[in-house]
Amino acid sequence: MMNMERLVILRRLILLAIASLISGCAVPFFGGYGANGQSLEEFEQHVEEVFRLQNRMTSEVMMLLESEEARKYQALMQAEQHMQQICADLNEYVSRDMDGLSTGLLLRRRVEKSAIDCEKAALMIKPLLAP
């Protein structure tokens, strides 16, 4: 009978661990949020900064492309399109959040995994904007 009780306890512990992983409660035990293992507050602040950066780069590209010299900026347009692809999850997350909609665990995890790549893609545009 002791083995049966241990098996029941083990099953409960496994179910508890799975439930905490699914809910996201266990994330800090595995090194924090994002690729840099930040606290939740630090990660949220970083994601907001990345969103603002990529938005600023998009605005600057749009202003530049409105000029008559748009044909000269093929590399810039390609870099901006690449940034939009890489930052798609972040943009969806912010859009849903601003509209008061649920962001969902899977979308949050995709943002967590892509935030650094989004930042890098946005920073790659900066030198292309220089005169």
Side-chain angles (χ1 to χ4, degrees):
M1 202 59 158
M2 286 285 270
N3 286 337
M4 186 62 96
E5 288 176 18
R6 287 183 182 169
L7 186 58
V8 169
I9 292 172
L10 182 61
R11 283 183 182 168
R12 287 183 182 164
L13 288 174
I14 291 171
L15 287 174
L16 180 62
I18 291 172
S20 67
L21 284 172
I22 291 172
S23 70
C25 295
V27 172
F29 297 114
F30 294 109
Y33 293 87
N36 296 331
Q38 300 166 307
S39 71
L40 179 58
E41 290 174 8
E42 291 169 329
F43 178 72
E44 287 175 344
Q45 183 178 5
H46 182 250
V47 166
E48 183 177 338
E49 290 169 2
V50 170
F51 177 75
R52 289 174 193 240
L53 171 66
Q54 69 96 24
N55 253 350
R56 189 172 63 248
M57 293 299 102
T58 296
S59 296
E60 289 184 32
V61 167
M62 289 173 62
M63 289 184 338
L64 188 62
L65 293 178
E66 287 178 359
S67 72
E68 294 178 13
E69 300 179 16
R71 290 185 194 106
K72 296 180 182 178
Y73 300 105
Q74 186 67 25
L76 179 61
M77 292 185 333
Q78 288 175 343
E80 198 273 338
Q81 288 173 352
H82 175 72
M83 180 188 67
Q84 291 301 328
Q85 279 182 320
I86 299 295
C87 299
D89 290 328
L90 175 60
N91 288 322
E92 180 182 352
Y93 179 89
V94 172
S95 176
R96 293 185 65 79
D97 187 58
M98 289 174 64
D99 292 340
L101 301 172
S102 169
T103 54
L105 179 64
L106 294 177
L107 178 57
R108 283 182 276 177
R109 293 295 175 238
R110 289 195 316 259
V111 169
E112 188 176 336
K113 290 178 181 178
S114 67
I116 289 178
D117 290 336
C118 177
E119 181 177 26
K120 287 178 184 176
L123 289 172
M124 299 257 324
I125 291 176
K126 268 189 170 183
L128 298 173
L129 292 170

